[in-house]
Amino acid sequence: MKKQFLTSLAALLFATGLVGFAVAQQQQVQAMRSTPIDAPNRLGPDFKWEGKEGRMQRNYRQQPPLIPHSIAQYQIDTRTNQCLSCHDWTKAGERGAPTLSMTHYLDRDGNELDQLAGTRYFCNQCHVPQADVPPLVENTFQPSAPVSVR
Ligand code: HEC
Ligand code: HEC
């Protein structure tokens, strides 16, 4: 009997804790998206980092570089990928754009391909345009190596 009471008490405390936590979360965390979920989310004005060659320094070795130009006009869907019209190895030379690195032409077994690997097709799954956004929550993050341009 006593044991059952204790179990219910524990469950009640846990549930109250969860609700309290949810309420606290709602109050403290501010979303990046300021518009309602069913309204279009407008991007901020295009932003270009003014450091060396307009490139933002990466924070760690494996970070996908941030995109130093607007991408609003480039479509990516299952039929077309306009990023490739400048960045694919077959076009990059004549368009003066950086060529996709070899990692973008390796299939999941590590075979080297002539065409972009399917796993790299949706560029903005990894690459995002540069933006002027202060951290939402103050933090003590440090890049993994000292950097010269920031
Ligand atoms: C009209 C040609 C063109 C198109 C289309 C284009 N880019 Fe670029 N991209 C460039 C050029 C040129 C640069 C070199 C930096 C600069 O001049 O802005 C660049 C730079 C980049 C970089 C930085 C590479 C680095 O090493 O820092 C990334 C990432 C990138 N583009 C991704 C994309 C993605 C993703 C798309 C499609 C949404 C795209 N680009 C479409 C021309 C293009
Ligand atoms: C799965 C994540 C992922 C996807 C998808 C992806 N990339 Fe990358 N990309 C990276 C990473 C990580 C790097 C940096 C390390 C490297 O080169 O692999 C990179 C590097 C680059 C570079 C710089 C190459 C260099 O040698 O400096 C360009 C340009 C680029 N990507 C463009 C694109 C474009 C355009 C697409 C879509 C066709 C794309 N990426 C898709 C992760 C990705």
Side-chain angles (χ1 to χ4, degrees):
M1 183 63 196
K2 195 174 168 202
K3 195 174 165 205
Q4 202 181 10
F5 170 72
L6 283 180
T7 318
S8 331
L9 185 69
L12 182 71
L13 285 177
F14 181 67
T16 324
L18 274 186
V19 172
F21 181 69
V23 170
Q25 288 272 308
Q26 251 174 10
Q27 284 165 352
Q28 284 166 15
V29 179
Q30 205 191 346
M32 274 200 211
R33 188 188 165 98
S34 51
T35 42
I37 200 77
D38 53 353
N41 200 20
R42 307 237 175 267
L43 297 174
D46 286 336
F47 173 80
K48 184 133 181 169
W49 186 250
E50 284 172 2
K52 205 177 164 198
E53 293 169 7
R55 309 267 175 101
M56 262 179 174
Q57 184 71 38
R58 299 185 211 181
N59 285 311
Y60 50 96
R61 169 67 189 85
Q62 303 84 352
Q63 182 185 332
L66 292 170
I67 308 173
H69 54 72
S70 162
I71 59 164
Q73 64 278 37
Y74 304 136
Q75 183 145 354
I76 309 178
D77 59 32
T78 49
R79 289 192 199 165
T80 178
N81 179 329
Q82 292 184 332
C83 312
L84 294 177
S85 66
C86 289
H87 287 288
D88 190 43
W89 72 274
T90 54
K91 306 276 171 49
E94 70 192 59
R95 303 306 296 265
T99 314
L100 299 180
S101 56
M102 196 55 216
T103 54
H104 297 62
Y105 298 97
L106 293 178
D107 72 10
R108 63 176 75 178
D109 300 318
N111 300 314
E112 298 187 0
L113 312 170
D114 279 344
Q115 286 180 345
L116 180 74
T119 49
R120 298 283 174 141
Y121 186 83
F122 291 104
C123 318
N124 44 12
Q125 186 184 320
C126 302
H127 297 278
V128 291
Q130 299 178 352
D132 187 14
V133 278
L136 284 176
V137 177
E138 213 176 302
N139 63 76
T140 56
F141 175 81
Q142 293 287 328
S144 61
V147 288
S148 49
V149 196
R150 288 199 59 76

